[in-house]
Amino acid sequence: MASLKPLIVRANRLLGASLVEKGLVSIDDLDEANDRLAEFVSSDSNSMQVSLLSILVSEKQLISEDDLLELLVEDHGLGLVDVRNVEYPDSLKKNLDTKVCWATLTVPFDHLEDTTYLASAYYLSPAVRIYWEEKLDGHVVWFASTVESLTDFLEKLESSVVAAATN
């Protein structure tokens, strides 16, 4: 996690700034959520699975994920995808770093020719977009997804990897 910490901090900081700029959350609410995120990270309690957005949406209920998704679709032209309903290609599984997916709440869910399709709850964070676009060869097509969809998908994927390793 140490090598991902700068990415996690930058992704969350820039997401928070975008959420404030778009009027989806106040600076005071963001400060409160950032304090809570810092508690999780400093306690080392499975902090990979905790994000600023999950705190704002689920724990503190300070932002409506529906409002966020509507903004992503209307203002940024993204499509919506629920990655729990995607048949995940084996070609992506073998090179997928789930720690990076947790850190950015982003998952590549398909690859056709030179185009990779990404589902993300963190599209509004420039740090996340830059990270993935530099990491992947070719074109990137972004889709919005919910925190719950991405979390469920990653938990299921990780448990299937563990199950396969023990067999």
Side-chain angles (χ1 to χ4, degrees):
M1 168 150 152
S3 63
L4 289 178
K5 193 168 186 175
L7 176 60
I8 293 168
V9 169
R10 189 161 163 71
N12 283 295
R13 183 179 303 129
L14 293 177
L15 175 71
S18 291
L19 293 172
V20 169
E21 179 184 314
K22 301 288 184 185
L24 292 170
V25 68
S26 72
I27 291 175
D28 291 340
D29 290 343
L30 179 62
D31 287 344
E32 184 180 328
N34 276 323
D35 290 346
R36 185 72 175 127
L37 181 62
E39 286 175 33
F40 279 114
V41 171
S42 66
S43 72
D44 280 338
S45 64
N46 212 1
S47 58
M48 288 301 295
Q49 296 181 11
V50 177
S51 68
L52 179 67
L53 191 57
S54 64
I55 291 168
L56 288 166
V57 169
S58 300
E59 183 182 326
K60 301 282 185 188
Q61 298 179 342
L62 296 169
I63 186 172
S64 160
E65 197 165 29
D66 289 343
D67 290 347
L68 175 59
L69 293 173
E70 183 178 327
L71 177 119
L72 292 173
V73 170
E74 297 295 323
D75 292 3
H76 296 274
L78 271 58
L80 296 175
V81 66
D82 185 335
V83 288
R84 296 172 292 199
N85 300 326
V86 171
E87 178 132 354
Y88 201 72
D90 288 334
S91 61
L92 289 176
K93 276 184 194 174
K94 63 184 172 188
N95 293 321
L96 187 66
D97 183 346
T98 57
K99 286 184 171 88
V100 171
C101 294
W102 281 113
T104 61
L105 269 181
T106 301
V107 173
F109 68 91
D110 203 359
H111 185 84
L112 298 170
E113 297 177 15
D114 71 337
T115 302
T116 302
Y117 297 84
L118 294 171
S120 183
Y122 265 53
Y123 179 80
L124 287 179
S125 175
V128 169
R129 292 194 314 272
I130 290 167
Y131 174 85
W132 282 99
E133 289 172 1
E134 287 178 352
K135 177 181 170 62
L136 298 170
D137 291 329
H139 302 287
V140 172
V141 177
W142 289 91
F143 285 78
S145 192
T146 64
V147 172
E148 181 182 13
S149 169
L150 292 161
T151 300
D152 289 352
F153 173 82
L154 286 167
E155 287 172 349
K156 182 179 175 188
L157 182 67
E158 287 179 335
S159 64
S160 71
V161 169
V162 169
T166 58
N167 289 338

